Amino acid sequence: MSSVEFWESKSLEEMTTVEWESICDGCGKCCLHSFIDSDDEHFESTDVLRDGEELLYTDVICQYSDINTGGCTRYAERQTLVPSCVQLTKDNLKDIFFMPLSCSYRRLHEGRGLASWHPLKHDGSKKAMHKAGISIKDKVVLETSVNLEEDFEDHIVTWPEHDAD
């Protein structure tokens, strides 16, 4: 008799706080600096990509990220230390266009299920995720070591768009 895992039987909205937090795969991609490239001269902040706009990722990551594990070294304080740090909630989940395609919250929200590499499917281990090339491991530089305003174009990358299965 096979048991059904909570992420297969509950919607994101139905999950407990502990279940919700465990859906995060800890890849670290959400902590990358990203920008919206727009053809519009009068760009305004948005919660959706509009025609002529493109989300660009960089390999530059928040100074509080652990570049080996993808975790946040100051998780409990992250929104105080970095006011622009977005906390994904059940209320703002619909506005996650800026999250990478591999984001487990996004995958579940879009009905794609958890990927085979997700740590929940590997007793909490991130090895399969790292092997699949999903995480930030060995791919990033801390924001404190670059001048992103001057060297922006040197740091644009496409690997954060990668998703597996």
Side-chain angles (χ1 to χ4, degrees), residues 35-102:
F35 301 90
I36 295 176
D37 186 23
S38 178
D39 293 336
D40 190 351
E41 291 179 22
H42 305 288
F43 178 78
E44 294 179 21
S45 183
T46 182
D47 57 0
V48 296
L49 282 177
R50 296 175 286 234
D51 286 340
E53 294 179 339
E54 177 183 13
L55 185 62
L56 300 177
Y57 291 97
T58 71
D59 62 357
V60 180
I61 197 158
C62 174
Q63 65 181 319
Y64 301 112
S65 295
D66 181 323
I67 62 173
N68 294 309
T69 67
C72 181
T73 63
R74 306 288 291 273
Y75 188 76
E77 309 163 272
R78 70 192 188 281
Q79 276 142 340
T80 302
L81 295 169
V82 183
S84 63
C85 178
V86 176
Q87 179 177 4
L88 228 57
T89 66
K90 296 172 185 180
D91 293 329
N92 68 5
L93 193 58
K94 65 184 180 351
D95 302 323
I96 61 170
F97 76 93
F98 58 89
M99 297 298 280
L101 290 174
S102 63

Side-chain angles (χ1 to χ4, degrees), residues 31-33 58-62 140-144 146 148 155:
C31 300
L32 292 170
H33 287 268
T58 71
D59 62 357
V60 180
I61 197 158
C62 174
V140 297
V141 294
L142 289 173
E143 65 187 359
T144 54
V146 298
L148 198 52
H155 291 280

Side-chain angles (χ1 to χ4, degrees), residues 80-165:
T80 302
L81 295 169
V82 183
S84 63
C85 178
V86 176
Q87 179 177 4
L88 228 57
T89 66
K90 296 172 185 180
D91 293 329
N92 68 5
L93 193 58
K94 65 184 180 351
D95 302 323
I96 61 170
F97 76 93
F98 58 89
M99 297 298 280
L101 290 174
S102 63
C103 171
S104 295
Y105 294 104
R106 184 172 179 170
R107 289 179 61 98
L108 289 177
H109 180 70
E110 294 175 351
R112 294 186 286 135
L114 287 186
S116 62
W117 47 260
H118 195 285
L120 283 174
K121 294 185 173 187
H122 297 274
D123 297 320
S125 172
K126 291 185 177 184
K127 286 181 183 176
M129 179 176 60
H130 295 319
K131 186 176 180 183
I134 298 299
S135 74
I136 59 143
K137 186 171 174 49
D138 300 325
K139 299 177 188 168
V140 297
V141 294
L142 289 173
E143 65 187 359
T144 54
S145 66
V146 298
N147 183 337
L148 198 52
E149 287 184 23
E150 288 182 18
D151 302 325
F152 170 76
E153 291 192 11
D154 296 337
H155 291 280
I156 294 173
V157 292
T158 58
W159 60 260
E161 299 167 1
H162 171 70
D163 193 6
D165 81 32

Side-chain angles (χ1 to χ4, degrees), residues 20-32:
W20 174 270
E21 288 290 322
S22 71
I23 293 302
C24 177
D25 50 55
C27 71
K29 289 181 185 178
C30 61
C31 300
L32 292 170

